Amino acid sequence: MKLIILENYSQASEWAAKYIRNRIVHALLWVILFQLASVLCVLLPGLPRDHPESYHSFMWNNFFKHIDISPENVHILDGNAPDLQAECDAFEEKIKAAGGIELFVGGIGPDGHIAFNEPGSSLVSRTRVKTLAMDTILANARFFDGDLSKVPTMALTVGVGTVMDAREVMILITGAHKAFALYKAIEDGVNHMWTVSAFQQHPNTVFVCDEDATLELKVKTVKYFKGLMMVHNKLVEPLYSMKEMGAERSQSKKPYSD
């Protein structure tokens, strides 16, 4: 497990972005992108795809339209599917067909939930329909003018087990309001009431946080991981490009001469 501690939100975000870029370039894994964080929906009729607060709109407006990716290579759970469980099962099959998840990137709530795997969720759960906790509904009310009646009460979400199957997991945790969740994630034991704690048992987890998020950690824990930053920064510097990596790979494939 790696814990990357940066000074503030902006630095944490930049480090994570650089890491993801290098990871993509090295593995050439930008072929099919699964949006795994979760998709808000109500049971029926659900939020339309073009609703400004739908997850589909959020992801396209804030991410996908800014990168070089074909729409057919993006998979987002459809909260308006006629059979929601069938939609979830099909999503799991698409992940398998693509060879699994190479890198999962997600954030957490103050209660330590990952995606919409609320406290008490099974740590071996798969993609499914999930009832949202009141804390999550209240947290999302700001996107609906504070009107709780407009906030979806159900969600389609990948399960903890789905994420655990990923070859690598990156979790971003920033802000003092998530400090106790970070403590539960890395210093306390694995607990289904804090679903993010499951990633203690993942063989390749990277937690990226800011200083405010470390307020509940032991001083020696913070000092230990800060002491590793010189090593961890080598993961993002230098910042590679596809062209540079292609040239490097071509050079490595040249036959040796006597």
Side-chain angles (χ1 to χ4, degrees), residues 26 99 150:
H26 275 284
K150 296 179 181 178

Side-chain angles (χ1 to χ4, degrees), residues 105-120:
V105 181
I108 65 169
D111 60 3
H113 74 261
I114 182 74
F116 278 124
N117 295 288
E118 305 279 26

Side-chain angles (χ1 to χ4, degrees), residues 18 21-22 26 233-241 244:
K18 288 180 177 179
R21 172 176 167 152
N22 276 356
H26 275 284
N233 280 336
K234 292 179 181 178
L235 299 171
V236 298
E237 300 294 347
L239 194 60
Y240 291 103
S241 69
E244 290 169 340

Side-chain angles (χ1 to χ4, degrees), residues 120-155:
S121 294
S122 168
L123 300 185
V124 295
S125 56
R126 313 304 301 188
T127 303
R128 68 205 187 286
V129 182
K130 186 69 178 157
T131 302
L132 301 183
M134 181 52 67
D135 283 350
T136 301
I137 294 173
L138 290 172
N140 283 285
R142 68 187 189 277
F143 301 120
F144 296 87
D145 300 321
D147 187 347
L148 291 180
S149 67
K150 296 179 181 178
V151 183
T153 59
M154 307 290 288

Side-chain angles (χ1 to χ4, degrees), residues 52 56-66:
H56 188 277
S57 293
F58 179 86
M59 291 305 301
W60 277 106
N61 293 333
N62 292 281
F63 185 37
F64 295 136
K65 76 177 184 181
H66 301 290

